[in-house]
Amino acid sequence: MEQELLLKEQIQQLCNRAGNNNFGDVMVVGGGISGIQASLDLAAAGYKVYLVDKAPSIGGHMAQLDKTFPTNDCSS
Amino acid sequence: MIKKPKYVDESKCTGCKACVEYCPVKYPDQFNQEISQNKAIHIYFTQAIPLATYIDESCLYLKEKKCTICQAICKADAIDFNQTAEKVEVNVGAIVLALGFEPFDPKLRNDYGYGKFKNVVTSLDYERILSPSGAYEGEILRASDKKHPHKIAWIQCVGSRQVNPAGGNSYCSAVCCSYAQKQVILTKEHDAEAECTIFHNDVRSHNKDLERYFQKTEQLPGVRFIRSYVSIGKEIPESNNVTIRYTTPDDGVKEEEFDMVVLSIGLNPPTNYQALADKFGIELNSHGFCKTSLSNPMEATKPGVFVSGSFQGPADIPESVYTASGAGSQCGELLDYRRGKLSKERIYPPERDVSQEEPKVGVFVCHCGANISRVVNVPSAVEYALTLPNVVYAQEQLFSCATNSAKEIADMAKEKGLNRLVIAACSIRTLEPLFRDTLREAGINQYYLDMANIREHCSWVHSKEKEEATHKAKDLIRMSVARSSHLKPLQEFALNVNKTALVVGGGVAGLTSALSVANQGHEVYLVEKDTDLGGMARRIHYTLEGLDVQEYLHDVIRQVYQHPLIRVYTEAAITETGGFVGNFITKVKAQGRVTEIKHGATILATGAEEYQPIEYLYGKDDRVITHLELEEQIVKKEESLLNTRSLVMIQCVGCRNEDRNYCSRICCSESIKNALKLKELNPQMDIYILFRDMRTYGLKEDYYREAAGKDVRFIRYEAQDQPQVEEAVDEDGRNVLRISVTDLILGKKLEIDSDKLALAVAVIPSAGSQEAVDLFKVTTNQDGFFKEAHVKLRPVEFAVDGVYLCGMAHYPKHIAETISQSYAAAGRALTLLSRDSVVASGAVAEVNGNDCISCGACITACSYGAIEFIMTPQGRKAGVNPPLCKGDGLCNTVCPTGAIQLKNFTNEQILSQIDAAVAGL
């Protein structure tokens, strides 16, 4: 427990020293279906994630598809 | 990182799109593949996240300092031309590269008329043409005259499976066969009279359930599959129709006219892949995809950098999803020490007690882009909703599921004091969780929600009867409003999570997932029925790509045995299991002792088996062997094999037939793998592969080419004309196996005298999987492979909470794919195990002990084992275990006295709905 507090403090100090809040656990590059899933999983498992995409929106190519095989469910 | 300026302040933009309306600049819409026009200021696409406008490079102000109309229009004062590119620095412990793919550009080749002939489009263009939010609002139109095309052709393998210096890739893009079939099905749904022709090479329907999908497409009237290389002929000036030249064995070369041609383009690595690789310090393979470890497809060449999705190589959606979860799990292994240190819990506003209030219902009617509003008159439905009892507010929305719409709903609920919400949109199956969340945001109990499904149940099925459909939509809304007034606030409850995992199956899948879970600090019990760990992989020695499987396997088994958190039970059987998500109890019998294991998550990795053939003299003549047996002989360098002059392999033995109507997926690559090994051992050996479709998908295609280059001979046969095998004596008096097969190119029967026959036999579900089905209450598909919760988006979990799947028990897989999926199962299990509690639904069944006659009908009906007899003061009565209950209501229907009721679907609620339905007659 004590160790954990120490670690938390250390991380906090590191954040402060960096002078900004841009301290995270994982950066996911690409906001298509794969990047979104990776981000969701990591966030649900207790990590702070930066998700980065070059387009103005996440979604990637899957958002461009009408439906998906073999169920023909809506893609976007 | 450089954050590009959007010239719109996202925090202020409401997504109202007034600016878009007034913007004078029209510019080809990139999201719609430049088929339609958009404005210089626009929202990327209708369901974009963030749902805010941005200004692109076509803006007059950015180019010439003119205009600024949008600034004047915007009421939120969100337009900010002073934005500049911003440098952002981020410090992280790991990176996941999910860079995706770039669609192949057929313009580079200039040989299919793309960019030259108006009615030649790519498959991605065609997706935007099919889509209701696409270029023509969901109507299939030709670019030349905006008319409906009647005769449409698909050309497969455009930019794939070709070695062409002018552009194109040697590998197979793995997804195009099935997406083209999907486009044919959708085209036929749009226009039942359409004539669709697919010009193809091998049909690669290698993934789960895709063989049946192919058959479904093939059997549609007016659909032709023609196996031929093609070239584009000409564009006919008057009609802008396009001709295609192709050959058939019967008719020779033909030229046929089509109204429209769709090019099934392949998947390239992302643009600027080299620059990106340099930036992240990783290596690429010869195609420009990420170079990964042979035994770990998520591991890039730099520590701490992981890769998922089609940046590994062509991948479909489920693979992109499970490699993502797998990469996530490996980040977790690396960063376990800091889990939960930086993340924040989401906090909802306190729940308002509305139980004493009169129902005040708000109705939100969704256009779903054009999915609903193309058929249903949405404004009139809104007007109608306002006339219904208890409704105090109603409005329409373009996409109720969009972020800003959800916020709008929550805001309106607060402003108007709504205490019940009716969302008239799509199926609850997809979006109920989202709207429940919206209610929580509004401070209302999330069970005060009803959804009227006016899409699947209305606009989609009544697309030709607009007036009646609108009428029906109103009926559905009236019913929902009636029910909503009887809804009760229900409480979800938190369950503690036991931090231990149980892994069933000690093959590569079970070993990998057990290690990954244990490496993240959780205790794991690994149960294997055999005496040794390793499973099917014990019989595999090398992969097509060159992994030494035995070395790898020994290493993994050693790690498992040495891991302080993993306990291994071999020769073990599971005798009993029970409990629910986060709190399972399983009894394992091993070495005569029964151990009771308490665990929060279960991973089922029960593997698959090799089909024992009855075909082709197998078992009668010992020269006929399966591929696993051949591999054994290769590794032992057996005399009889080395002396073989001629060896034949037959594909699809025991599958792709009536008994097993699926493709076993791995056998084509296995045959190539062994053929190449044999050529290495004895280059003089004549090797023939008799196949139906060579399914060396993705990057494995290169090995197929290599084998063909090394004189392995490939002969295609048809399902209805299978090869025949007989024992015979050749001219030299030697005993041979004589295999006769029709050569479809030459059109005549061939006889091959061979010394050995290797059968590429089917992969079949294991007996262990069937036992698991009975024990763990999970389901399989009709072929006996585990059925995942969602084929695309939840590929490694079951519908039962807390139970995950991986490996061949899901579907035949190569070792590397199994490893990916096993990491994914571990990753998904960690999203549960890393938490202290999980929330279980409040919409569960409940027994009224006074009415229960203890008949047990509900207990038999429940497929989740959620009901059992309990002792109560009134005697033995049925009792529901709420965390196990899925709220499917099967028990309700069989209860003879109505003692068991489903909360949230009470008789009162359903009867009120029926009354409202009848009231409209």
Side-chain angles (χ1 to χ4, degrees):
Chain A
M1 195 60 198
E2 203 171 299
Q3 229 175 352
E4 201 167 287
L5 279 174
L6 200 71
L7 194 67
K8 210 161 190 170
E9 210 167 286
Q10 276 177 349
I11 293 174
Q12 195 54 50
Q13 278 176 0
L14 221 57
C15 292
N16 295 344
R17 223 179 306 148
N20 59 34
N21 294 322
N22 296 346
F23 236 87
D25 293 309
V26 184
M27 176 165 80
V28 177
V29 189
I33 181 61
S34 201
I36 291 173
Q37 182 67 47
S39 307
L40 285 173
D41 277 9
L42 283 162
Y47 293 111
K48 180 175 170 186
V49 181
Y50 284 94
L51 174 57
V52 185
D53 197 290
K54 63 174 193 262
S57 166
I58 57 169
H61 284 300
M62 189 174 166
Q64 280 186 294
L65 307 182
D66 179 29
K67 295 184 178 169
T68 57
F69 59 79
T71 48
N72 294 353
D73 280 343
C74 261
S75 185
S76 54
Chain B
M1 287 183 292
I2 305 291
K3 189 175 174 190
K4 289 184 274 185
K6 290 182 171 177
Y7 305 107
V8 174
D9 184 340
E10 276 168 23
S11 61
K12 290 183 185 165
C13 175
T14 60
C16 75
K17 299 210 288 185
C19 52
V20 183
E21 213 168 295
Y22 285 93
C23 174
V25 184
K26 285 192 171 175
Y27 193 62
D29 186 345
Q30 285 167 26
F31 188 79
N32 274 344
Q33 297 290 105
E34 306 194 350
I35 301 168
S36 59
Q37 306 255 307
N38 212 326
K39 299 293 187 67
I41 184 164
H42 66 279
I43 294 177
Y44 194 50
F45 62 99
T46 29
Q47 291 130 304
I49 295 175
L51 198 90
T53 54
Y54 76 106
I55 297 173
D56 69 22
E57 67 277 8
S58 66
C59 170
L60 288 177
Y61 180 81
L62 295 178
K63 283 200 297 201
E64 303 160 17
K65 301 269 172 230
K66 288 197 294 209
C67 186
T68 67
I69 290 176
C70 51
Q71 225 164 10
I73 296 295
C74 182
K75 287 193 183 129
D77 198 18
I79 314 287
D80 177 9
F81 283 109
N82 294 326
Q83 275 189 6
T84 49
E86 194 186 329
K87 198 171 163 189
V88 184
E89 251 185 49
V90 171
N91 302 284
V92 290
I95 294 174
V96 177
L97 294 179
L99 302 175
F101 66 90
E102 188 64 25
F104 174 76
D105 180 5
K107 270 194 204 121
L108 298 173
R109 292 270 301 274
N110 210 15
D111 56 356
Y112 289 112
Y114 185 68
K116 203 162 63 181
F117 302 155
K118 281 184 171 167
N119 296 327
V120 177
V121 300
T122 69
S123 44
L124 196 55
D125 297 343
Y126 199 69
E127 290 289 338
R128 297 315 301 154
I129 291 173
L130 285 168
S131 170
S133 62
Y136 305 126
E137 291 173 348
E139 273 200 77
I140 303 177
L141 301 177
R142 312 201 304 166
S144 68
D145 51 12
K146 305 286 185 295
K147 285 192 178 142
H148 297 279
H150 176 66
K151 252 186 103 173
I152 308 177
W154 278 259
I155 299 177
Q156 295 305 110
C157 300
V158 174
S160 309
R161 302 188 65 189
Q162 319 171 306
V163 183
N164 184 333
N169 302 309
S170 63
Y171 55 82
C172 157
S173 291
V175 294
C176 326
C177 281
S178 297
Y179 78 54
Q181 290 159 19
K182 173 197 74 181
Q183 293 186 340
V184 167
I185 293 174
L186 297 178
T187 303
K188 296 289 287 183
E189 278 174 13
H190 279 253
D191 173 12
E193 303 299 314
E195 287 177 42
C196 302
T197 308
I198 296 188
F199 294 102
H200 64 94
N201 188 353
D202 301 287
V203 176
R204 295 191 165 167
S205 301
H206 49 276
N207 278 338
K208 197 174 186 178
D209 295 329
L210 294 187
E211 186 71 23
R212 284 194 179 85
Y213 195 67
F214 164 46
Q215 289 159 2
K216 176 180 164 188
T217 316
E218 207 184 15
Q219 283 156 11
L220 287 172
V223 172
R224 287 183 299 168
F225 277 79
I226 299 176
R227 189 182 292 260
S228 168
Y229 289 105
V230 299
S231 62
I232 291 275
K234 57 179 182 289
E235 185 183 44
I236 293 165
E238 305 82 56
S239 61
N240 291 109
N241 286 356
V242 179
T243 66
I244 290 178
R245 275 195 294 267
Y246 63 97
T247 56
T248 62
D250 300 334
D251 303 328
V253 179
K254 281 174 83 170
E255 185 157 350
E256 193 174 327
E257 200 177 315
F258 292 93
D259 301 342
M260 191 168 180
V261 175
V262 184
L263 306 179
S264 292
I265 51 169
L267 275 49
N268 276 12
T271 20
N272 297 330
Y273 53 83
Q274 192 58 56
L276 284 163
D278 293 345
K279 210 170 274 173
F280 291 104
I282 54 159
E283 290 171 45
L284 299 172
N285 66 21
S286 62
H287 298 293
F289 293 108
C290 189
K291 186 171 175 181
T292 55
S293 150
L294 285 179
S295 60
N296 185 349
M298 279 80 65
E299 187 182 287
T301 49
K302 185 174 177 174
V305 179
F306 301 97
V307 53
S308 74
S310 48
F311 187 42
Q312 293 179 346
D316 61 3
I317 294 168
E319 197 175 343
S320 302
V321 170
Y322 72 66
T323 51
S325 295
S329 195
Q330 296 187 51
C331 292
E333 289 185 38
L334 196 66
L335 305 175
D336 186 51
Y337 67 94
R338 56 197 264 191
R339 193 188 298 273
K341 303 279 191 293
L342 292 171
S343 64
K344 290 191 199 95
E345 277 292 316
R346 189 164 162 196
I347 297 164
Y348 291 94
E351 204 173 288
R352 197 158 63 87
D353 178 16
V354 300
S355 53
Q356 303 309 313
E357 293 176 14
E358 281 294 300
K360 290 171 90 177
V361 185
V363 181
F364 295 81
V365 188
C366 179
H367 284 248
C368 193
N371 268 305
I372 291 169
S373 57
R374 184 170 44 190
V375 179
V376 172
N377 182 339
V378 172
S380 110
V382 170
E383 220 169 279
Y384 175 75
L386 282 168
T387 66
L388 295 168
N390 297 330
V391 173
V392 296
Y393 181 75
Q395 74 162 87
E396 54 193 285
Q397 292 183 310
L398 184 61
F399 281 104
S400 295
C401 57
T403 321
N404 69 326
S405 304
K407 192 173 176 304
E408 186 174 53
I409 295 171
D411 290 347
M412 284 323 286
K414 279 186 229 163
E415 190 186 317
K416 307 280 177 194
L418 306 176
N419 54 26
R420 309 279 195 284
L421 291 187
V422 169
I423 314 284
C426 52
S427 162
I428 53 164
R429 273 184 61 84
T430 21
L431 290 177
E432 193 183 52
L434 180 98
F435 292 120
R436 287 215 171 142
D437 194 73
T438 306
L439 267 82
R440 290 180 74 182
E441 283 292 347
I444 307 172
N445 183 285
Q446 55 179 321
Y447 290 90
Y448 280 130
L449 166 75
D450 197 68
M451 288 182 73
N453 186 348
I454 60 167
R455 191 178 75 175
E456 283 88 337
H457 291 175
C458 190
S459 71
W460 278 0
V461 283
H462 306 300
S463 58
K464 300 276 184 289
E465 310 121 295
K466 294 188 178 178
E467 213 163 293
E468 289 88 338
T470 303
H471 196 78
K472 179 171 173 182
K474 290 177 183 172
D475 288 346
L476 290 168
I477 293 171
R478 182 175 66 246
M479 289 163 69
S480 279
V481 168
R483 173 169 178 253
S484 72
S485 302
H486 296 281
L487 291 172
K488 294 272 178 298
L490 301 176
Q491 292 311 321
E492 308 209 309
F493 43 99
L495 304 165
N496 288 335
V497 175
N498 181 309
K499 302 285 189 174
T500 303
L502 171 74
V503 177
V504 185
V508 166
L511 293 166
T512 308
S513 51
L515 265 182
S516 189
V517 171
N519 283 340
Q520 298 178 66
H522 293 271
E523 208 178 357
V524 179
Y525 290 86
L526 178 63
V527 178
E528 165 61 45
K529 67 173 186 313
D530 219 334
T531 45
D532 294 302
L533 296 179
M536 188 65 96
R538 287 213 308 273
R539 298 179 66 187
I540 299 167
H541 299 270
Y542 45 87
T543 65
L544 190 53
E545 291 80 7
L547 174 73
D548 182 334
V549 178
Q550 292 310 306
E551 191 186 288
Y552 169 75
L553 192 61
H554 288 143
D555 183 48
V556 175
I557 291 175
R558 184 187 50 77
Q559 287 182 51
V560 164
Y561 273 119
Q562 287 179 353
H563 206 294
L565 291 176
I566 303 180
R567 271 185 230 179
V568 180
Y569 294 90
T570 48
E571 285 180 279
I574 292 172
T575 53
E576 216 183 307
T577 183
F580 43 86
V581 56
N583 302 274
F584 296 106
I585 301 174
T586 300
K587 284 184 180 160
V588 175
K589 190 178 173 188
Q591 281 96 44
R593 279 220 336 251
V594 176
T595 316
E596 191 181 273
I597 298 168
K598 290 185 174 158
H599 52 108
T602 312
I603 297 176
L604 299 181
T606 43
E609 286 164 15
E610 183 189 37
Y611 167 67
Q612 291 305 302
I614 44 167
E615 297 90 340
Y616 304 117
L617 303 180
Y618 183 82
K620 298 187 186 79
D621 188 312
D622 58 13
R623 291 170 296 181
V624 184
I625 53 178
T626 67
H627 260 289
L628 281 176
E629 290 160 350
L630 174 64
E631 187 162 329
E632 181 96 39
Q633 293 187 4
I634 292 175
V635 171
K636 288 185 178 155
K637 296 202 170 65
E638 261 184 34
E639 203 66 27
S640 74
L641 184 69
L642 296 176
N643 293 333
T644 294
R645 288 191 304 183
S646 162
L647 182 142
V648 174
M649 300 177 183
I650 300 179
Q651 301 303 115
C652 300
V653 180
C655 60
R656 294 189 74 192
N657 59 20
E658 271 179 23
D659 296 337
R660 274 170 292 276
N661 194 3
Y662 62 89
C663 164
S664 291
R665 195 164 188 263
I666 57 174
C667 346
C668 283
S669 311
E670 285 296 292
S671 292
I672 299 281
K673 175 184 97 173
N674 285 333
L676 287 171
K677 272 281 176 206
L678 287 169
K679 280 286 182 188
E680 231 172 75
L681 288 176
N682 177 6
Q684 306 307 320
M685 193 187 295
D686 288 325
I687 301 174
Y688 301 85
I689 298 182
L690 314 186
F691 70 99
R692 285 174 56 192
D693 291 281
M694 278 313 283
R695 292 183 167 174
T696 43
Y697 55 89
L699 305 183
K700 298 185 192 302
E701 178 73 4
D702 284 343
Y703 298 94
Y704 177 23
R705 184 169 292 102
E706 185 186 338
K710 287 185 173 160
D711 262 350
V712 174
R713 265 157 272 178
F714 292 88
I715 301 168
R716 191 170 73 81
Y717 73 88
E718 298 270 7
Q720 62 275 19
D721 183 14
Q722 307 243 341
Q724 305 295 322
V725 181
E726 55 178 0
E727 289 168 346
V729 179
D730 74 357
E731 297 156 353
D732 305 331
R734 294 175 2 134
N735 285 323
V736 293
L737 288 164
R738 182 160 294 158
I739 293 132
S740 44
V741 59
T742 310
D743 186 313
L744 295 161
I745 298 170
L746 302 173
K748 63 175 191 191
K749 210 81 176 165
L750 291 182
E751 284 189 344
I752 307 165
D753 287 348
S754 80
D755 307 317
K756 236 181 225 315
L757 173 62
L759 303 179
V761 297
V763 178
I764 58 173
S766 71
S769 296
Q770 194 47 54
E771 287 164 27
V773 164
D774 301 333
L775 281 163
F776 293 94
K777 309 280 180 213
V778 295
T779 48
T780 59
N781 72 353
Q782 51 188 323
D783 303 316
F785 293 105
F786 282 155
K787 192 178 166 81
E788 59 276 51
H790 188 287
V791 56
K792 292 284 177 196
L793 302 177
R794 293 173 68 197
V796 297
E797 51 216 276
F798 286 104
V800 180
D801 293 330
V803 188
Y804 306 86
L805 61 113
C806 57
M808 300 248 275
H810 165 261
Y811 201 61
K813 268 178 202 64
H814 291 288
I815 287 179
E817 295 163 341
T818 289
I819 293 169
S820 298
Q821 217 193 12
S822 309
Y823 275 113
R828 294 298 300 159
L830 252 294
T831 62
L832 167 67
L833 296 176
S834 62
R835 293 152 64 173
D836 294 327
S837 65
V838 283
V839 174
S841 167
V844 293
E846 189 181 35
V847 179
N848 177 347
N850 289 331
D851 294 341
C852 177
I853 54 166
S854 315
C855 69
C858 53
I859 298 174
T860 322
C862 182
S863 37
Y864 298 96
I867 314 173
E868 53 192 6
F869 281 123
I870 48 169
M871 280 315 289
T872 71
Q874 295 132 305
R876 203 171 71 125
K877 301 283 180 186
V880 178
N881 191 352
L884 275 180
C885 176
K886 284 282 188 180
D888 64 10
L890 288 179
C891 50
N892 287 186
T893 56
V894 296
C895 180
T897 62
I900 197 160
Q901 283 246 359
L902 186 55
K903 294 182 196 174
N904 213 35
F905 290 95
T906 59
N907 286 351
E908 190 190 22
Q909 288 164 7
I910 291 171
L911 290 171
S912 72
Q913 242 176 325
I914 297 171
D915 287 344
V918 185
L921 297 176

